[in-house]
Amino acid sequence: MDDYDYDVLVIGAGPGGYVAAIRAAQLGLKTACVDARETLGGTCLNVGCIPSKAMLHASEKYEEVASGALAALGVEVSASRLNLDAMHASRVNVVRGLTGGIAGLFRKNKVDWLKGHAAFASADSVTVAEKTYRARNIIVATGSTVAPLPGVAIDGKVIIDSTGALELPKVPGHLVVIGGGVIGLELGSVWRRLGAHVTVIEYLDQLLPGMDGDVRKEAKKLFAKQGLILRLSTRVTQARESADGVILTLTPAAGGAEEELSANIVLVAVGRTPNTRGLALEKAGLAINACGQIEVDHDLRTRVNGIWAIGDVTPGAMLAHRAEDEGIAAAELIAGQPGMVNHAVIPSVVYTTPEIAGVGLTEEEAAARSKVSIGKFPMIANSRAKANHDTDGFVKIIADAATGRVLGVHIIASVAGTMIAQAAQAMEFGATAEDIAYTCHAHPTQSEALKEAALAVVGKPIHL
Ligand code: FAD
Ligand code: NAD
């Protein structure tokens, strides 16, 4: 080991960092992982993916009872009551179990967990809790935090970020969500289901930027039908505290007369910003780009030899599974193996009801590159969706018109997050729409809608 303490030192124990550390250790490299939090798992396990899904699941169950949806299936529940404390306790328990599980995996794989804030001392050394460690390879996996919104300072009481929105001690009368992106719609849905009036204010003229145009239009229709009040093409410029919460100043995105809107609680969800503050990147010879990210090449190497970067701190989709796959690839490349991530095939899922999922190019992106064939199939014509009374949404396949190769798949359906895995795998193997259309799909499943959309690309669906 010469005078190196580690072969690999990972900064950040989110899905990128902890996975990189475990993979590096599995490959026989002496590995440490540093994190400033008390528990492992980063944003995703502590305050992101997992607790938000716990609240989405629990609130969905509550709404199934409270809205009469279960009664419509013949399941009558004599009295429904929200026990928010128990719901929170269940969320906390899930997070505790999973973050503790990572600590167990670190012990099993002999990854040293260094607790504290890490800062570079040089290009191959890092200081944590006043001790400096030298490593042959350093992987920066410091993730991201909520982006601030000028004029609307988060106070953790009436103006909150996503972490605050996971933990509200009571259902707000009127929750205003600033940002009609993934966090705004997921957490806005949680509190609407639990009884809040929820207004979503979005700067753009559609929700969910970056998603397929048809999906964005359908999402707007469905969320409005569910009772979210959508204020599109609107900007929040200012917030001031009031007796019962906050008064926001709104302006049309195109300019025009201001108006005021009162809220009991305001959730700021206008994006996330990479974590590089306090890392002393300059001591390692590193810099950030105009968006605050650390740039890497195709192999996740920064411009400094021996320093790698993965996940939310680098350019690309801020998704846990991208970070995980990059963590595995970085560890394998460090070990001299051919690690890689196909960034063209990274699925994304919004865990609302129905779920919204996509992989590959949107129709707009694909059509700008080549002539495309589109196949669409509505969930209302899918037998399993009918049987479950879950008929909102559609499957849309975008294929290259000349070759039939699938370029993108976009799904709105109750189980879209599960269905998209098949589409991602097909695309990874270079499938054509015909390959999907002639793959036998089990009946009755929502996945048959994918087969039908593929049949629509190559000719005609059967059930339409
Ligand atoms: P992170 O998970 O952010 O982890 C970085 C870790 O590094 C943190 O623990 C941080 O404390 C630590 N750290 C930072 N700087 C230092 C330092 N100098 N020294 C020591 N430690 C440091 N993505 C999905 O794919 N699916 C979802 O369902 C989903 N839901 C989400 C819900 C919410 C509410 C939020 C906020 C995010 C969600 N995301 C989801 C996004 C997902 O959480 C991130 O993309 C993912 O966590 C990024 O992983 P990462 O390893 O890059 O960084
Ligand atoms: P986002 O980028 O998804 O959405 C932010 C929205 O805020 C955009 O629609 C944007 O147009 C709007 N906006 C920006 N400034 C505004 C303003 N001044 N007034 C009104 N609207 C404004 O960001 P997010 O929802 O904060 O989520 C952050 C990241 O976390 C996302 O990139 C996402 O990848 C990740 N995430 C993923 C999941 C998931 O995979 N299910 C869940 C939560 C978060």
Side-chain angles (χ1 to χ4, degrees):
M1 279 285 289
D2 306 327
D3 55 348
Y4 286 106
D5 298 292
Y6 292 103
D7 294 315
V8 181
L9 185 146
V10 185
I11 308 178
Y18 87 72
V19 167
I22 291 173
R23 190 77 185 118
Q26 285 173 342
L27 293 170
L29 301 169
K30 186 166 189 242
T31 306
C33 185
V34 193
D35 203 288
R37 285 177 203 273
E38 280 305 305
T39 48
L40 299 170
T43 305
C44 178
L45 271 69
N46 287 284
V47 293
C49 327
I50 298 302
S52 61
K53 266 76 256 180
M55 292 302 281
L56 278 156
H57 179 72
S59 60
E60 188 178 354
K61 297 289 160 206
Y62 173 74
E63 191 177 40
E64 276 175 14
V65 177
S67 69
L70 274 190
L73 299 179
V75 182
E76 289 179 6
V77 180
S78 53
S80 74
R81 190 178 76 82
L82 173 64
N83 183 341
L84 190 54
D85 290 343
M87 200 176 275
H88 282 315
S90 161
R91 165 182 57 80
V92 168
N93 206 24
V94 168
V95 169
R96 192 181 299 126
L98 286 172
T99 55
I102 308 298
L105 289 173
F106 271 16
R107 283 193 295 277
K108 183 174 155 199
N109 288 284
K110 303 197 174 20
V111 174
D112 287 350
W113 174 7
L114 308 178
K115 284 190 186 175
H117 184 92
F120 280 98
S122 71
D124 66 359
S125 60
V126 163
T127 302
V128 185
E130 292 173 12
K131 245 187 113 183
T132 300
Y133 302 87
R134 216 169 151 229
R136 281 178 211 282
N137 292 279
I138 297 171
I139 302 177
V140 184
T142 49
S144 62
T145 42
V146 62
L149 178 59
V152 191
I154 291 166
D155 64 10
K157 290 187 300 230
V158 284
I159 304 181
I160 57 174
D161 61 10
S162 57
T163 302
L166 291 168
E167 297 168 352
L168 285 175
K170 70 179 188 58
V171 180
H174 185 203
L175 171 69
V176 173
V177 179
I178 310 178
V182 194
I183 292 182
L185 294 171
E186 286 188 352
L187 295 179
S189 292
V190 165
W191 294 104
R192 182 201 56 73
R193 292 168 185 172
L194 298 180
H197 287 283
V198 177
T199 303
V200 177
I201 299 175
E202 167 57 49
Y203 180 75
L204 301 173
D205 61 356
Q206 287 288 351
L207 303 169
L208 295 168
M211 293 215 167
D212 183 86
D214 278 348
V215 166
R216 296 175 77 185
K217 270 189 229 138
E218 184 73 6
K220 177 182 159 195
K221 213 169 74 192
L222 291 172
F223 289 124
K225 193 171 90 182
Q226 290 171 10
L228 285 183
I229 301 151
L230 304 175
R231 299 283 310 263
L232 305 180
S233 306
T234 304
R235 200 153 59 93
V236 178
T237 50
Q238 207 180 304
R240 62 173 200 279
E241 234 178 276
S242 67
D244 53 358
V246 185
I247 295 175
L248 294 172
T249 306
L250 315 185
T251 320
E258 288 184 345
E259 67 176 291
E260 292 196 330
L261 179 70
S262 347
N264 301 110
I265 299 283
V266 173
L267 164 59
V268 178
V270 295
R272 292 179 62 81
T273 185
N275 283 331
T276 54
R277 197 176 305 152
L279 260 181
L281 290 176
E282 65 292 348
K283 291 198 182 160
L286 281 172
I288 51 174
N289 66 16
C291 300
Q293 301 150 325
I294 300 175
E295 299 267 0
V296 287
D297 66 12
H298 176 266
D299 286 341
L300 309 162
R301 295 171 202 272
T302 67
R303 67 182 196 192
V304 176
N305 195 28
I307 306 184
W308 311 69
I310 58 173
D312 280 12
V313 76
T314 62
M318 287 183 161
L319 295 171
H321 39 283
R322 171 180 76 111
E324 286 186 42
D325 285 9
E326 289 182 350
I328 291 175
E332 291 179 347
L333 288 163
I334 289 169
Q337 296 188 1
M340 69 150 287
V341 177
N342 180 3
H343 286 101
V345 182
I346 294 185
S348 68
V349 182
V350 188
Y351 296 87
T352 46
T353 305
E355 293 179 343
I356 303 171
V359 62
L361 300 179
T362 62
E363 181 177 345
E364 296 74 18
E365 289 165 341
R369 295 182 193 191
S370 63
K371 201 162 175 307
V372 293
S373 301
I374 307 287
K376 235 174 137 178
F377 189 79
M379 293 311 293
I380 197 156
N382 172 270
S383 57
R384 183 63 180 277
K386 277 267 208 209
N388 290 3
H389 295 245
D390 264 340
T391 51
D392 283 336
F394 57 77
V395 175
K396 174 175 176 182
I397 296 182
I398 300 146
D400 183 272
T403 64
R405 193 170 171 151
V406 177
L407 303 173
V409 177
H410 304 278
I411 305 174
I412 303 188
S414 60
V415 291
T418 306
M419 291 165 72
I420 204 69
Q422 177 200 344
Q425 194 156 48
M427 286 177 66
E428 194 64 50
F429 291 161
T432 61
E434 192 177 36
D435 292 328
I436 297 177
Y438 289 92
T439 298
C440 189
H441 286 64
H443 175 76
T445 59
Q446 287 92 343
S447 291
E448 288 173 287
L450 202 75
K451 178 191 173 97
E452 294 271 13
L455 280 169
V457 175
V458 297
K460 276 199 169 130
I462 300 293
H463 294 95
L464 204 61

